[in-house]
Amino acid sequence: MTTRLPIRLAAGSGPTFGVDDLACAAATHLGFWADEGLEVAWTPVHGGVAAINAVMDGTVDVSYGGLGPVLRCRSEGKPVRIVVSMARALAQNLVAQERIASTAELRGASWAIDGFGALSHHMARLVVKALGIPETEIDWQAVGPPPERIARLLARKIDALSSAWRRRCRSAGTAAAACARCSVSPSSRR
């Protein structure tokens, strides 16, 4: 029997699997890691910031998460590398509670992000800047990866978020975007 190299992998998506995780999930479930002589142990963490922090503190060997936290670490001279990125684009959609009728009403709104310094935070800051709203007038809330942000939006615990989702739905009074991890039923999608 061949001994496999143990690898501890922090999954920035937390305990869920979504479309962003397909490559790593497929490698695990189809045995690709094992075929390459690797024994991969998943460690779920909440978001890319937590994933890179787990690498930096030695809890895991590698992480899977957004580019933002890794780029921040590199800019600070920390010994991390981006091995591969599946990102094809950085397009973001603004998703807000239906009661927010104009972008001006985002002043003072709560805005869910993965974590401070995460890609979702950087992209949201660019959106806010383009809207002419000072960052200090947004209530930034670091809540974790997309499933947690979607849940908070649908539960009306936050006012807005930005994401790369493409499909729209109307549910629970929100103009929320739907994705493979969203708990919105297909019948409610538009």
Side-chain angles (χ1 to χ4, degrees), residues 1 16 61 101 104 130-131 140 145 155:
M1 177 176 188
T16 62
D61 305 304
L131 294 173
W140 300 109

Side-chain angles (χ1 to χ4, degrees), residues 7-135:
I7 301 289
R8 300 168 299 162
L9 171 67
S13 58
T16 62
F17 274 132
V19 294
D20 295 341
D21 310 302
L22 286 178
C24 289
T28 298
H29 294 288
L30 297 175
F32 297 156
W33 299 125
D35 291 349
E36 295 299 321
L38 303 173
E39 183 67 40
V40 176
W42 286 76
T43 301
V45 297
H46 291 283
V49 173
I52 198 65
N53 287 343
V55 171
M56 296 310 301
D57 70 19
T59 303
V60 298
D61 305 304
V62 296
S63 69
Y64 178 83
L67 294 173
V70 181
L71 294 174
R72 186 198 75 234
C73 286
R74 287 291 291 178
S75 73
E76 295 169 355
K78 294 180 180 170
V80 296
R81 297 208 189 289
I82 297 170
V83 177
V84 65
S85 172
M86 296 185 337
R88 294 177 55 194
L90 295 177
Q92 297 284 299
N93 294 308
L94 171 58
V95 185
Q97 295 294 342
E98 199 166 42
R99 64 179 164 65
I100 297 175
S102 74
T103 55
E105 293 178 30
L106 289 169
R107 291 179 188 274
S110 57
W111 194 306
I113 57 174
D114 175 349
F116 294 96
L119 182 61
S120 62
H121 184 217
H122 293 301
M123 297 304 291
R125 290 175 62 213
L126 290 172
V127 169
V128 168
K129 182 178 180 179
L131 294 173
I133 300 171
E135 286 185 47

Side-chain angles (χ1 to χ4, degrees), residues 145-155 161 165 176-179 181-184:
E148 284 80 9
R149 296 195 304 262
I150 293 167
R152 299 243 179 143
L153 183 76
L154 293 175
L161 56 85
W165 305 309
C179 71
R181 290 185 271 194
C182 184
S183 61
V184 177

